Amino acid sequence: MYKETNIRSIVKGISWRFIATGTTMSIVYVFFGNVELAVATGLLETIAKVGLYWGHEKVWQRIRWGRKRIEPFNLWFTGLPLSGKTTIADKVYEKLKKLDIPLERIDSKDVREMFPNAGFSREERNRHIKRIGHLIQTLQKNSVSTVCSFVSPYRESRKMIREMVKNNIVVYVKASMEICKKRDYKGVYEKALKNEIRNFTGISDVYEEPQHAEIVIDTEKISPDEAADIIVKYVKKHYVK
């Protein structure tokens, strides 16, 4: 698969202008048999059309008719650790990028690295989620949509995000504890069971399942690719028409 580069597009535009101008000059010469007139007509036509095109574009930039603003949305992936949130969110992000809309990907791991002392108590988690909500608000003010993946185990924090941001879409990535343990390539569940990790969701801390999720993905029944297709289809239907 090849992608058109900017320089290729510019060269193609210039080459087409030469062909168009050459055609005009040839027609004038055929009808009038005058080389100087043909050259002058070709040059004037080129200058006139470049100017008219520039003016035409400027006028249409001011006309709002026929233009549709895409309202920013927020995809909020929630679920137990190792349920598949990040994997599916990454796939959704890549698919949505192809729609050429302003979009940012926010993952809990990346944000935690920026705020290593955020903590994992209920109060600290809620405060951390509120911080993410402010970030999403800032992006939405600039018409940027977001794809976020956070365990976000408490209903009050997810409710807070829904109230803070526009067009919030909760995606509950569902998986049983046993399945999550089998997927635990990091060994975090084992550490949590040994009390080496405190406030670990699903072991030493609660996960409150979403009651009003727009989309529920059961990762024990469908693949990440299938899940991504379902979510993208939902976004296209409601926000990117």
Side-chain angles (χ1 to χ4, degrees), residues 139-197:
L139 290 168
Q140 288 193 337
K141 286 177 182 177
N142 292 280
S143 299
V144 178
S145 297
T146 43
V147 178
C148 304
S149 49
F150 290 82
V151 173
S152 49
Y154 312 127
R155 291 190 182 119
E156 68 259 29
S157 60
R158 296 193 297 266
K159 181 182 178 183
M160 179 171 55
I161 287 293
R162 190 180 290 279
E163 293 173 349
M164 290 180 70
V165 309
K166 298 177 182 177
N167 303 321
N168 190 60
I169 308 162
V170 173
V171 181
Y172 175 28
V173 182
K174 189 176 181 180
S176 67
M177 183 67 66
E178 292 306 313
I179 291 296
C180 291
K181 287 178 182 178
K182 289 179 181 179
R183 297 172 180 167
D184 185 15
Y185 63 95
K186 299 177 181 178
V188 290
Y189 274 94
E190 185 178 350
K191 290 180 181 178
L193 289 167
K194 294 179 180 178
N195 294 320
E196 294 177 14
I197 301 177

Side-chain angles (χ1 to χ4, degrees), residues 31-225:
F31 276 93
F32 298 98
N34 188 319
V35 175
E36 292 180 357
L37 179 62
V39 172
T41 302
L43 292 174
L44 286 172
E45 181 241 14
T46 298
I47 295 170
K49 284 187 176 179
V50 169
L52 287 169
Y53 181 80
W54 178 84
H56 180 264
E57 287 295 299
K58 286 293 183 182
V59 169
W60 272 100
Q61 284 177 6
R62 295 175 179 272
I63 298 173
R64 293 186 178 182
W65 177 83
R67 298 169 74 181
K68 186 176 180 180
R69 183 176 183 269
I70 296 175
E71 287 295 323
F73 57 85
N74 174 54
L75 276 167
W76 187 268
F77 289 77
T78 178
L80 287 169
L82 280 300
S83 60
K85 298 181 301 299
T86 298
T87 299
I88 297 172
D90 285 343
K91 289 181 178 293
V92 169
Y93 175 69
E94 292 301 322
K95 287 177 179 291
L96 289 176
K97 276 204 308 183
K98 295 177 182 178
L99 302 180
D100 196 27
I101 59 176
L103 191 67
E104 286 292 337
R105 175 77 174 91
I106 306 174
D107 184 70
S108 58
K109 177 179 176 295
D110 300 326
V111 179
R112 282 283 178 180
E113 289 177 355
M114 296 171 61
F115 303 99
N117 298 318
F120 290 91
S121 69
R122 193 175 190 111
E123 181 182 353
E124 288 170 321
R125 283 179 185 264
N126 286 338
R127 188 163 54 243
H128 183 61
I129 293 299
K130 187 175 183 179
R131 186 183 296 123
I132 304 306
H134 285 300
L135 173 59
I136 297 169
Q137 282 182 330
T138 301
L139 290 168
Q140 288 193 337
K141 286 177 182 177
N142 292 280
S143 299
V144 178
S145 297
T146 43
V147 178
C148 304
S149 49
F150 290 82
V151 173
S152 49
Y154 312 127
R155 291 190 182 119
E156 68 259 29
S157 60
R158 296 193 297 266
K159 181 182 178 183
M160 179 171 55
I161 287 293
R162 190 180 290 279
E163 293 173 349
M164 290 180 70
V165 309
K166 298 177 182 177
N167 303 321
N168 190 60
I169 308 162
V170 173
V171 181
Y172 175 28
V173 182
K174 189 176 181 180
S176 67
M177 183 67 66
E178 292 306 313
I179 291 296
C180 291
K181 287 178 182 178
K182 289 179 181 179
R183 297 172 180 167
D184 185 15
Y185 63 95
K186 299 177 181 178
V188 290
Y189 274 94
E190 185 178 350
K191 290 180 181 178
L193 289 167
K194 294 179 180 178
N195 294 320
E196 294 177 14
I197 301 177
R198 298 179 61 187
N199 299 321
F200 188 85
T201 303
I203 302 296
S204 52
D205 196 12
V206 66
Y207 178 78
E208 299 170 351
E209 290 192 358
Q211 296 175 313
H212 307 290
E214 280 72 19
I215 304 171
V216 177
I217 299 296
D218 190 338
T219 59
E220 296 181 39
K221 296 180 180 179
I222 62 175
S223 69
D225 287 320

